[in-house]
Amino acid sequence: MAQTISDAGEAARELAKRIEQARNVVFFGGAGVSTASGIPDFRSEDGLYHQHFDYPPETMLSHSFYLSHTKEFYDFYRERMICLTAQPNQAHRKLAELEEKNKLTAVVTQNIDGLHQKAGSRRVLELHGSVHRNICQRCGATQSAEWVLSTTGVPTCPECGGSIKPDVVLYGESLDEGVMLASIKAIASCDLLIVGGTSLVVYPAAGLVRYFQGDDLVICNLQPTPQDATADLICACDIAKAFDF
């Protein structure tokens, strides 16, 4: 039965001990890692799914909506999906530090905000892409998030006039096969897997946990997840505070 800790200070001490004992650590994270940096998630009480828009958020973030209502898609994308003022929190910074110390071999993330890289992490596997890459569908030129924010209406490529699509996985699209395979390999080869800030209900990403064959599974999430029964340690506390060691 999993050890459950709700006190953040105690969780941080236990997490630090387990990381110290591990040889190969991988972190698999979701939206909860970024909420501590002020970026809203989808499913919590204050998340996007509980806010009122002209269309449901899951509709506006679908591939079909991008094709049929491109202007409305970009209005929502600029306002709600790009947050350049957000800064890495303690969880991001500690993970980058652990990579620098050769303890952590990969960050597998469902987030598209680039905060892991901003904190200094180099091996980041972005399952759902990134708002920092916006690609011309004609010539392949890549534009930054800052560039998208400087445009209005439907942006077009300054190089060739082609249509621009954010390099994010929209509803109705498949995850990048190369990123998925690299994520599976990283998770399958580590002896300590830390799952943080994710409800583990969004597939296929949530299914990655089943590839873990190591000794120690830690779940750090404020709410229960479907994988709690298989965990060795559950940190039911703020993830930024759990990484404050």
Short mmCIF file of all heavy atoms in Angstrom, two decimals, residues 127-172:
data_model
loop_
_atom_site.label_atom_id
_atom_site.label_comp_id
_atom_site.label_asym_id
_atom_site.label_seq_id
_atom_site.Cartn_x
_atom_site.Cartn_y
_atom_site.Cartn_z
N LEU A 127 5.05 16.01 -25.16
CA LEU A 127 4.04 15.14 -25.75
C LEU A 127 3.01 15.92 -26.58
O LEU A 127 2.52 15.42 -27.58
CB LEU A 127 3.31 14.37 -24.65
CG LEU A 127 4.14 13.33 -23.89
CD1 LEU A 127 3.38 12.83 -22.68
CD2 LEU A 127 4.52 12.17 -24.80
N HIS A 128 2.68 17.13 -26.12
CA HIS A 128 1.63 17.91 -26.78
C HIS A 128 2.17 19.12 -27.52
O HIS A 128 1.42 20.01 -27.89
CB HIS A 128 0.57 18.32 -25.75
CG HIS A 128 -0.16 17.16 -25.15
ND1 HIS A 128 -0.80 17.21 -23.93
CD2 HIS A 128 -0.35 15.90 -25.62
CE1 HIS A 128 -1.35 16.03 -23.67
NE2 HIS A 128 -1.09 15.23 -24.68
N GLY A 129 3.48 19.15 -27.75
CA GLY A 129 4.07 20.24 -28.52
C GLY A 129 4.37 21.46 -27.69
O GLY A 129 4.50 21.40 -26.47
N SER A 130 4.48 22.63 -28.36
CA SER A 130 4.85 23.86 -27.68
C SER A 130 4.30 25.08 -28.40
O SER A 130 4.32 25.14 -29.64
CB SER A 130 6.38 23.98 -27.61
OG SER A 130 6.78 25.24 -27.10
N VAL A 131 3.84 26.05 -27.62
CA VAL A 131 3.36 27.32 -28.21
C VAL A 131 4.51 28.12 -28.79
O VAL A 131 4.30 29.08 -29.54
CB VAL A 131 2.61 28.18 -27.17
CG1 VAL A 131 1.37 27.47 -26.66
CG2 VAL A 131 3.53 28.59 -26.01
N HIS A 132 5.74 27.75 -28.45
CA HIS A 132 6.90 28.50 -28.93
C HIS A 132 7.32 28.12 -30.34
O HIS A 132 8.26 28.71 -30.88
CB HIS A 132 8.07 28.30 -27.95
CG HIS A 132 7.79 28.88 -26.59
ND1 HIS A 132 7.89 30.22 -26.33
CD2 HIS A 132 7.36 28.30 -25.44
CE1 HIS A 132 7.56 30.44 -25.06
NE2 HIS A 132 7.23 29.28 -24.50
N ARG A 133 6.62 27.17 -30.92
CA ARG A 133 6.87 26.80 -32.33
C ARG A 133 5.55 26.91 -33.09
O ARG A 133 4.58 26.22 -32.76
CB ARG A 133 7.42 25.38 -32.44
CG ARG A 133 8.76 25.19 -31.74
CD ARG A 133 9.30 23.77 -31.98
NE ARG A 133 8.39 22.75 -31.48
CZ ARG A 133 8.43 22.25 -30.24
NH1 ARG A 133 9.30 22.70 -29.37
NH2 ARG A 133 7.57 21.31 -29.88
N ASN A 134 5.53 27.75 -34.10
CA ASN A 134 4.33 27.94 -34.93
C ASN A 134 4.78 27.84 -36.37
O ASN A 134 5.56 28.68 -36.84
CB ASN A 134 3.69 29.29 -34.60
CG ASN A 134 3.29 29.39 -33.13
OD1 ASN A 134 2.23 28.96 -32.74
ND2 ASN A 134 4.19 29.96 -32.31
N ILE A 135 4.32 26.82 -37.06
CA ILE A 135 4.97 26.39 -38.30
C ILE A 135 4.11 26.68 -39.52
O ILE A 135 2.90 26.39 -39.55
CB ILE A 135 5.28 24.88 -38.21
CG1 ILE A 135 6.19 24.61 -36.99
CG2 ILE A 135 5.94 24.38 -39.48
CD1 ILE A 135 6.39 23.15 -36.68
N CYS A 136 4.76 27.24 -40.55
CA CYS A 136 4.09 27.47 -41.82
C CYS A 136 3.82 26.14 -42.49
O CYS A 136 4.72 25.31 -42.65
CB CYS A 136 4.95 28.35 -42.73
SG CYS A 136 4.24 28.57 -44.38
N GLN A 137 2.57 25.94 -42.89
CA GLN A 137 2.18 24.67 -43.50
C GLN A 137 2.61 24.58 -44.97
O GLN A 137 2.49 23.51 -45.57
CB GLN A 137 0.66 24.50 -43.39
CG GLN A 137 0.15 24.53 -41.95
CD GLN A 137 0.79 23.46 -41.08
OE1 GLN A 137 0.45 22.28 -41.19
NE2 GLN A 137 1.72 23.84 -40.23
N ARG A 138 3.14 25.67 -45.52
CA ARG A 138 3.61 25.66 -46.90
C ARG A 138 5.13 25.51 -47.00
O ARG A 138 5.62 24.62 -47.69
CB ARG A 138 3.17 26.94 -47.63
CG ARG A 138 3.58 26.98 -49.11
CD ARG A 138 3.22 28.31 -49.74
NE ARG A 138 1.78 28.55 -49.75
CZ ARG A 138 1.22 29.71 -50.08
NH1 ARG A 138 1.99 30.75 -50.39
NH2 ARG A 138 -0.10 29.83 -50.06
N CYS A 139 5.86 26.39 -46.31
CA CYS A 139 7.33 26.38 -46.47
C CYS A 139 8.06 25.81 -45.26
O CYS A 139 9.27 25.59 -45.31
CB CYS A 139 7.84 27.78 -46.78
SG CYS A 139 7.80 28.93 -45.38
N GLY A 140 7.36 25.60 -44.13
CA GLY A 140 7.98 25.02 -42.96
C GLY A 140 8.69 25.99 -42.04
O GLY A 140 9.28 25.58 -41.03
N ALA A 141 8.65 27.28 -42.36
CA ALA A 141 9.28 28.28 -41.49
C ALA A 141 8.60 28.28 -40.12
O ALA A 141 7.38 28.11 -40.02
CB ALA A 141 9.19 29.66 -42.12
N THR A 142 9.40 28.50 -39.07
CA THR A 142 8.88 28.48 -37.71
C THR A 142 8.87 29.88 -37.12
O THR A 142 9.86 30.61 -37.22
CB THR A 142 9.74 27.56 -36.81
OG1 THR A 142 9.71 26.23 -37.35
CG2 THR A 142 9.21 27.53 -35.39
N GLN A 143 7.75 30.25 -36.52
CA GLN A 143 7.60 31.55 -35.89
C GLN A 143 7.43 31.37 -34.38
O GLN A 143 6.92 30.36 -33.91
CB GLN A 143 6.39 32.30 -36.48
CG GLN A 143 6.40 32.43 -37.99
CD GLN A 143 7.59 33.21 -38.51
OE1 GLN A 143 8.11 34.09 -37.83
NE2 GLN A 143 8.03 32.89 -39.72
N SER A 144 7.85 32.38 -33.64
CA SER A 144 7.81 32.31 -32.17
C SER A 144 6.43 32.65 -31.63
O SER A 144 5.57 33.19 -32.34
CB SER A 144 8.83 33.29 -31.60
OG SER A 144 8.43 34.63 -31.88
N ALA A 145 6.26 32.38 -30.35
CA ALA A 145 5.02 32.77 -29.68
C ALA A 145 4.89 34.29 -29.65
O ALA A 145 3.79 34.84 -29.80
CB ALA A 145 5.00 32.21 -28.25
N GLU A 146 6.02 34.98 -29.47
CA GLU A 146 6.01 36.45 -29.48
C GLU A 146 5.50 36.98 -30.81
O GLU A 146 4.74 37.95 -30.86
CB GLU A 146 7.41 36.99 -29.20
CG GLU A 146 7.90 36.78 -27.79
CD GLU A 146 8.53 35.42 -27.54
OE1 GLU A 146 8.48 34.56 -28.46
OE2 GLU A 146 9.06 35.20 -26.45
N TRP A 147 5.91 36.33 -31.89
CA TRP A 147 5.47 36.75 -33.22
C TRP A 147 3.96 36.56 -33.37
O TRP A 147 3.27 37.44 -33.88
CB TRP A 147 6.21 35.97 -34.31
CG TRP A 147 5.77 36.32 -35.69
CD1 TRP A 147 6.24 37.34 -36.47
CD2 TRP A 147 4.75 35.67 -36.46
NE1 TRP A 147 5.59 37.37 -37.69
CE2 TRP A 147 4.67 36.36 -37.70
CE3 TRP A 147 3.91 34.58 -36.23
CZ2 TRP A 147 3.76 35.98 -38.69
CZ3 TRP A 147 3.02 34.21 -37.22
CH2 TRP A 147 2.95 34.91 -38.43
N VAL A 148 3.44 35.43 -32.90
CA VAL A 148 2.00 35.18 -32.99
C VAL A 148 1.23 36.25 -32.23
O VAL A 148 0.22 36.77 -32.70
CB VAL A 148 1.65 33.77 -32.47
CG1 VAL A 148 0.14 33.60 -32.37
CG2 VAL A 148 2.23 32.70 -33.37
N LEU A 149 1.72 36.60 -31.04
CA LEU A 149 1.05 37.62 -30.23
C LEU A 149 1.07 39.00 -30.89
O LEU A 149 0.20 39.84 -30.62
CB LEU A 149 1.68 37.71 -28.84
CG LEU A 149 1.40 36.54 -27.88
CD1 LEU A 149 2.15 36.74 -26.58
CD2 LEU A 149 -0.09 36.38 -27.64
N SER A 150 2.05 39.23 -31.75
CA SER A 150 2.14 40.53 -32.44
C SER A 150 1.20 40.63 -33.63
O SER A 150 1.04 41.71 -34.20
CB SER A 150 3.58 40.77 -32.91
OG SER A 150 3.89 39.95 -34.04
N THR A 151 0.57 39.52 -34.01
CA THR A 151 -0.33 39.51 -35.17
C THR A 151 -1.78 39.66 -34.71
O THR A 151 -2.09 39.52 -33.53
CB THR A 151 -0.19 38.21 -35.97
OG1 THR A 151 -0.61 37.09 -35.17
CG2 THR A 151 1.27 37.99 -36.39
N THR A 152 -2.65 39.91 -35.66
CA THR A 152 -4.09 39.94 -35.40
C THR A 152 -4.79 39.07 -36.43
O THR A 152 -4.24 38.79 -37.51
CB THR A 152 -4.65 41.38 -35.49
OG1 THR A 152 -4.35 41.91 -36.78
CG2 THR A 152 -4.04 42.26 -34.41
N GLY A 153 -6.01 38.65 -36.10
CA GLY A 153 -6.76 37.82 -37.03
C GLY A 153 -6.06 36.50 -37.28
O GLY A 153 -5.52 35.88 -36.38
N VAL A 154 -6.06 36.08 -38.54
CA VAL A 154 -5.40 34.83 -38.93
C VAL A 154 -3.99 35.14 -39.40
O VAL A 154 -3.82 35.81 -40.42
CB VAL A 154 -6.18 34.11 -40.04
CG1 VAL A 154 -5.47 32.83 -40.44
CG2 VAL A 154 -7.61 33.80 -39.57
N PRO A 155 -2.95 34.71 -38.67
CA PRO A 155 -1.58 35.02 -39.09
C PRO A 155 -1.18 34.22 -40.33
O PRO A 155 -1.61 33.07 -40.51
CB PRO A 155 -0.75 34.61 -37.88
CG PRO A 155 -1.54 33.54 -37.21
CD PRO A 155 -2.99 33.91 -37.43
N THR A 156 -0.38 34.83 -41.17
CA THR A 156 0.18 34.15 -42.34
C THR A 156 1.68 34.28 -42.33
O THR A 156 2.24 35.21 -41.74
CB THR A 156 -0.38 34.74 -43.65
OG1 THR A 156 -0.12 36.15 -43.68
CG2 THR A 156 -1.88 34.49 -43.77
N CYS A 157 2.34 33.37 -42.97
CA CYS A 157 3.80 33.29 -42.98
C CYS A 157 4.41 34.54 -43.62
O CYS A 157 4.06 34.88 -44.75
CB CYS A 157 4.24 32.04 -43.73
SG CYS A 157 6.04 31.87 -43.85
N PRO A 158 5.33 35.22 -42.94
CA PRO A 158 5.98 36.38 -43.53
C PRO A 158 6.94 36.01 -44.66
O PRO A 158 7.35 36.88 -45.43
CB PRO A 158 6.73 37.00 -42.34
CG PRO A 158 6.96 35.88 -41.40
CD PRO A 158 5.76 34.99 -41.54
N GLU A 159 7.28 34.73 -44.76
CA GLU A 159 8.19 34.28 -45.81
C GLU A 159 7.46 33.99 -47.11
O GLU A 159 7.92 34.38 -48.19
CB GLU A 159 8.94 33.01 -45.35
CG GLU A 159 9.61 33.12 -44.00
CD GLU A 159 10.76 34.11 -44.02
OE1 GLU A 159 11.37 34.32 -45.07
OE2 GLU A 159 11.03 34.69 -42.94
N CYS A 160 6.32 33.29 -47.01
CA CYS A 160 5.65 32.83 -48.24
C CYS A 160 4.15 33.10 -48.27
O CYS A 160 3.50 32.81 -49.27
CB CYS A 160 5.92 31.34 -48.47
SG CYS A 160 5.01 30.27 -47.32
N GLY A 161 3.59 33.59 -47.17
CA GLY A 161 2.16 33.85 -47.13
C GLY A 161 1.32 32.64 -46.80
O GLY A 161 0.08 32.70 -46.84
N GLY A 162 1.96 31.53 -46.46
CA GLY A 162 1.23 30.30 -46.14
C GLY A 162 0.55 30.38 -44.79
O GLY A 162 0.80 31.29 -43.99
N SER A 163 -0.30 29.40 -44.50
CA SER A 163 -1.01 29.37 -43.23
C SER A 163 -0.08 28.87 -42.12
O SER A 163 0.77 28.02 -42.33
CB SER A 163 -2.25 28.48 -43.33
OG SER A 163 -1.87 27.14 -43.65
N ILE A 164 -0.28 29.44 -40.94
CA ILE A 164 0.53 29.09 -39.77
C ILE A 164 -0.29 28.20 -38.84
O ILE A 164 -1.45 28.49 -38.56
CB ILE A 164 0.96 30.35 -39.00
CG1 ILE A 164 1.81 31.26 -39.88
CG2 ILE A 164 1.69 29.98 -37.71
CD1 ILE A 164 3.22 30.77 -40.13
N LYS A 165 0.33 27.12 -38.38
CA LYS A 165 -0.33 26.26 -37.38
C LYS A 165 0.59 26.09 -36.18
O LYS A 165 1.76 25.78 -36.34
CB LYS A 165 -0.65 24.88 -37.96
CG LYS A 165 -1.37 23.98 -36.95
CD LYS A 165 -1.57 22.58 -37.47
CE LYS A 165 -2.24 21.71 -36.41
NZ LYS A 165 -1.39 21.55 -35.20
N PRO A 166 0.05 26.33 -34.98
CA PRO A 166 0.87 26.09 -33.79
C PRO A 166 1.32 24.63 -33.73
O PRO A 166 0.58 23.72 -34.09
CB PRO A 166 -0.10 26.41 -32.63
CG PRO A 166 -1.12 27.31 -33.23
CD PRO A 166 -1.29 26.85 -34.65
N ASP A 167 2.55 24.44 -33.28
CA ASP A 167 3.08 23.08 -33.14
C ASP A 167 2.61 22.49 -31.82
O ASP A 167 3.41 22.11 -30.95
CB ASP A 167 4.60 23.10 -33.22
CG ASP A 167 5.19 21.70 -33.30
OD1 ASP A 167 4.45 20.77 -33.69
OD2 ASP A 167 6.38 21.54 -32.98
N VAL A 168 1.30 22.44 -31.65
CA VAL A 168 0.68 21.82 -30.48
C VAL A 168 -0.29 20.75 -30.98
O VAL A 168 -0.86 20.88 -32.07
CB VAL A 168 -0.06 22.84 -29.59
CG1 VAL A 168 0.92 23.87 -29.04
CG2 VAL A 168 -1.18 23.52 -30.33
N VAL A 169 -0.45 19.71 -30.18
CA VAL A 169 -1.35 18.62 -30.55
C VAL A 169 -2.77 19.03 -30.18
O VAL A 169 -3.10 19.16 -29.00
CB VAL A 169 -0.96 17.32 -29.85
CG1 VAL A 169 -1.93 16.20 -30.23
CG2 VAL A 169 0.47 16.93 -30.21
N LEU A 170 -3.60 19.24 -31.19
CA LEU A 170 -4.99 19.62 -30.97
C LEU A 170 -5.85 18.37 -30.82
O LEU A 170 -5.46 17.27 -31.22
CB LEU A 170 -5.48 20.46 -32.16
CG LEU A 170 -4.68 21.74 -32.45
CD1 LEU A 170 -5.20 22.41 -33.72
CD2 LEU A 170 -4.73 22.69 -31.27
N TYR A 171 -7.03 18.55 -30.24
CA TYR A 171 -7.97 17.42 -30.16
C TYR A 171 -8.27 16.92 -31.57
O TYR A 171 -8.51 17.70 -32.48
CB TYR A 171 -9.26 17.86 -29.47
CG TYR A 171 -9.12 18.10 -28.00
CD1 TYR A 171 -9.05 19.40 -27.48
CD2 TYR A 171 -9.05 17.03 -27.10
CE1 TYR A 171 -8.92 19.63 -26.12
CE2 TYR A 171 -8.91 17.25 -25.74
CZ TYR A 171 -8.85 18.55 -25.25
OH TYR A 171 -8.70 18.77 -23.91
N GLY A 172 -8.22 15.62 -31.73
CA GLY A 172 -8.42 15.02 -33.04
C GLY A 172 -7.13 14.74 -33.78
O GLY A 172 -7.15 14.15 -34.86
#
